[in-house]
């Protein structure tokens, strides 16, 4: 039997995960390290339900880094569809090229080499090391932070930004990895604590009655106090992100260059003609964004490399 609170927390969470963890394709034994890396980049700030179909289509089209590296970067942006934050697609494409050119087409297992890849930060490097290669790095995302904040520190939410204290706690909760059994438990704990936060210990409506660590939870024992700060929600309506997304939808649907004026034009959506661009152009026109905001958003897409100017006033996805 577990002899410490940390061991009890892990054992109960692992038992729950083995019975309730989702059967996700990037968790299956036959998933390649490339498939795990793609999933981790796609899952950043994006829920599983939206990622699943896009991930599956990506892996069918580009099952290896070399397959993606051989395509223009604009094809990665087009296939990104509506996942949001499309610069991630450009980073994945750059990452695929570097894996192909520097690592012989194989995703590196070394944590430092992973960190050196374009767009790969501390979390993604740790996740790929753990989930793709079975190396017991400490994997901490928002879901893990929330579980640990509630169960151990008694706070309703983790701190607004990841702190050293949270990092220390995450490391302390990892099992001893000096044995093969400890390494296996550590990698399972990474996945299980993340899943517990995603399905049960959610931010807005935690299902405490179904939680396997309910009896151990410091937050529950404290009477489930309110958060010690007011979380800032992410707005969407009227933001530059919304306008940029609508512009990207037009560019993804276009087979030829689109006139810049089409992306910044104001006016009645019903004035848009027919054709493959009709619906995304109407959606863009419907937004309550003024000329200044539209110009700013278009300039941002060009600066980020998500759109390119052909020199004659036409815009398209990068080649």
């Amino acid at each position: 039997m577990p002899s410490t609170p940390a061991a009890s927390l892990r054992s109960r969470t692992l038992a729950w995960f083995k019975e309730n963890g989702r059967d996700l394709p990037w968790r299956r034994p036959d998933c390649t390290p490339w498939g795990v890396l793609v999933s981790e980049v796609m899952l950043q700030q994006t829920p599983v339900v939206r990622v699943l179909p896009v991930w599956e289509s990506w892996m069918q089209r580009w099952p290896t880094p070399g397959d993606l590296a051989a395509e223009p970067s604009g094809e990665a942006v087009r296939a990104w569809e509506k996942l949001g934050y499309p610069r991630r697609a450009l980073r994945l494409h750059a990452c695929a090229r570097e894996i192909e050119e520097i690592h012989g087409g194989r995703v590196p297992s070394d944590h430092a080499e992973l960190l050196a890849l374009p767009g790969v930060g501390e979390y993604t490097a740790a996740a790929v090391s753990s989930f793709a290669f079975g190396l017991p790095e400490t994997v901490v995302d928002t879901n893990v932070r929330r579980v640990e904040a509630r169960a151990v520190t008694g706070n309703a939410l983790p701190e607004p930004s990841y702190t050293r204290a949270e990092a220390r706690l995450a490391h302390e909760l990892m099992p001893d990895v000096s044995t093969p059994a400890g390494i296996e438990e550590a990698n399972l704990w990474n996945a299980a604590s993340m899943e517990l936060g995603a399905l049960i210990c959610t931010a807005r409506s935690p299902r405490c009655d179904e939680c396997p660590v309910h009896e151990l939870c410091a937050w529950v024992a404290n009477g489930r106090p309110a958060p010690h700060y007011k979380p800032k929600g992410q707005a969407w309506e009227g933001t530059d992100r919304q306008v940029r997304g609508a512009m990207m939808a037009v560019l993804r649907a276009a087979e030829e260059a689109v006139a810049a004026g089409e992306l910044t034009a104001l006016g009645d959506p019903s004035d848009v003609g027919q054709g493959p661009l009709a619906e995304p152009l109407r959606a863009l026109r419907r937004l309550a964004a003024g000329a200044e905001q539209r110009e700013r958003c278009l300039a941002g897409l060009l600066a980020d490399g998500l759109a390119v100017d052909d020199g004659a006033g036409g815009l398209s996805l990068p080649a």
Side-chain angles (χ1 to χ4, degrees):
M1 293 292 291
S3 57
T4 68
S8 296
L9 181 68
R10 288 196 304 268
S11 67
R12 293 190 184 199
T13 302
L14 291 176
W16 170 85
F17 181 64
K18 289 174 182 177
E19 293 293 326
N20 299 281
R22 290 169 290 184
D23 178 23
L24 301 175
W26 46 83
R27 287 180 177 163
R28 295 170 188 163
D30 61 348
C31 184
T32 64
W34 171 241
V36 173
L37 174 57
V38 172
S39 75
E40 289 299 336
V41 174
M42 288 185 171
L43 287 164
Q44 294 167 8
Q45 298 179 284
T46 309
V48 165
V49 67
R50 289 176 57 197
V51 167
L52 266 171
V54 181
W55 182 90
E56 289 171 344
S57 67
W58 266 57
M59 296 310 298
Q60 289 174 2
R61 182 174 178 180
W62 300 309
T64 71
D67 294 320
L68 178 59
E71 295 263 21
S73 60
E75 285 304 299
V77 176
R78 194 187 309 277
W80 197 251
E81 298 186 12
K82 297 181 179 180
L83 288 185
Y85 303 100
R87 278 177 289 183
R88 292 180 293 168
L90 290 180
R91 291 175 187 144
L92 255 180
H93 185 269
C95 191
R97 285 193 168 170
E98 193 157 311
I99 291 170
E100 185 69 12
E101 294 169 3
I102 297 177
H103 301 285
R106 299 174 67 87
V107 176
S109 60
D110 180 76
H111 187 262
E113 290 182 338
L114 284 166
L115 270 177
L117 293 173
V120 174
E122 184 61 44
Y123 165 78
T124 302
V128 174
S129 291
S130 177
F131 301 146
F133 298 105
L135 302 176
E137 297 285 346
T138 304
V139 181
V140 184
D141 74 345
T142 300
N143 289 312
V144 174
R145 291 176 62 210
R146 187 168 55 252
V147 167
E148 295 179 353
R150 288 175 178 164
V152 181
T153 67
N155 290 328
L157 295 175
E159 298 301 322
S161 299
Y162 193 40
T163 66
R164 291 182 180 180
E166 288 176 296
R168 284 195 301 271
L169 175 60
H171 284 290
E172 290 167 1
L173 291 175
M174 289 284 281
D176 179 2
V177 296
S178 62
T179 66
I183 291 173
E184 181 180 4
E185 182 182 349
N187 290 313
L188 278 173
W189 165 249
N190 284 333
S193 56
M194 193 179 299
E195 190 80 333
L196 185 64
L199 300 184
I200 300 294
C201 194
T202 59
R204 295 183 179 179
S205 303
R207 295 153 56 188
C208 295
D209 292 344
E210 301 175 44
C211 181
V213 298
H214 179 273
E215 296 174 359
L216 306 176
C217 181
W219 183 58
V220 171
N222 290 343
R224 298 200 286 189
H228 57 294
Y229 64 93
K230 186 175 181 179
K232 294 181 180 179
Q234 276 197 322
W236 172 252
E237 294 293 333
T239 63
D240 284 5
R241 283 182 53 227
Q242 184 186 32
V243 177
R244 284 166 57 105
M247 288 180 174
M248 289 300 300
V250 175
L251 295 177
R252 283 197 305 269
E255 297 180 358
E256 299 177 350
V258 178
E262 291 281 12
L263 297 180
T264 57
L266 302 174
D268 190 338
S270 63
D271 291 340
V272 175
Q274 300 301 313
L277 299 186
E279 272 310 307
L281 279 173
R282 289 193 189 101
L284 178 57
R285 292 273 185 96
R286 290 189 193 104
L287 299 183
E292 182 181 350
Q293 184 179 18
R294 291 171 188 263
E295 293 285 355
R296 180 175 68 247
C297 291
L298 179 55
L301 293 179
L302 289 165
D304 290 340
L306 291 166
V308 294
D309 192 329
D310 63 7
L315 303 175
S316 60
L317 296 176

